[in-house]
Amino acid sequence: MAVANTDSVVHTAGTEADTFALGEAIGRSLRPGDVVLLSGQLGAGKTVFTKGIAAALGVHADEVHSPSFTLVNFYPGALPLYHIDLYRLNASAETAYAVDLDEILQDASAVVVIEWAERLGNFPLPATVWRVSIEGDGDEPRSICISRPVGSPR
């Protein structure tokens, strides 16, 4: 899943509110058809980051919940949002087909956020992919590395 031509920035989020605010800031830069790949250990703040993205897309953040059991949640908004969680699936390209990712990616009007993206294996992704890696958990500050596609808004 290596992507060339990205611009990476590392942020420190000292609180859950900081993680949410950073997600919201990135959400304002997203365009229809963009994919955001999230990685980080359990409790790192992937869903909080997604709630920030959702808020920027016109989705009420309180409606956003981790799709750990449903695998995919859809939220209509100013930009529709697909929120996918691959935690409970094995790491392979077949994982993406299990959640119909190939079909979801055909919805060029929506933004797609995928938690546990490292489980996608070699599944082909569109050109406009944002990568977000969150390190840290508990009460410690998070280190959030964001790799945005070259030419995307800041």
Side-chain angles (χ1 to χ4, degrees), residues 15 37-38 42 57 87 91 93 108 119 137 151:
T15 65
L37 303 179
L38 296 174
L42 281 171
L57 301 181
Y87 178 71
R119 295 178 186 240
D137 64 0

Side-chain angles (χ1 to χ4, degrees), residues 2 4 41 51 54 56 58 65 68 84 92 98 100 111 131:
Q41 62 192 23
K51 286 180 178 215
H65 301 283
S68 293
I84 300 169
S92 74
D100 292 325
V111 167
R131 296 175 189 280

Side-chain angles (χ1 to χ4, degrees), residues 9 28 54 92 118 124:
V9 178
R28 287 191 293 271
S92 74
E118 59 275 12

Side-chain angles (χ1 to χ4, degrees), residues 90-143:
N90 294 325
S92 74
E94 295 303 315
T95 294
Y97 293 107
V99 296
D100 292 325
L101 185 57
D102 53 333
E103 297 291 324
I104 290 169
L105 291 175
Q106 290 182 24
D107 185 352
S109 69
V111 167
V112 178
V113 174
I114 303 172
E115 294 189 30
W116 298 95
E118 59 275 12
R119 295 178 186 240
L120 284 174
N122 293 322
F123 184 83
L125 294 167
T128 311
V129 174
W130 296 65
R131 296 175 189 280
V132 178
S133 175
I134 305 174
E135 294 183 18
D137 64 0
D139 292 330
E140 66 186 60
R142 269 65 166 171
S143 175

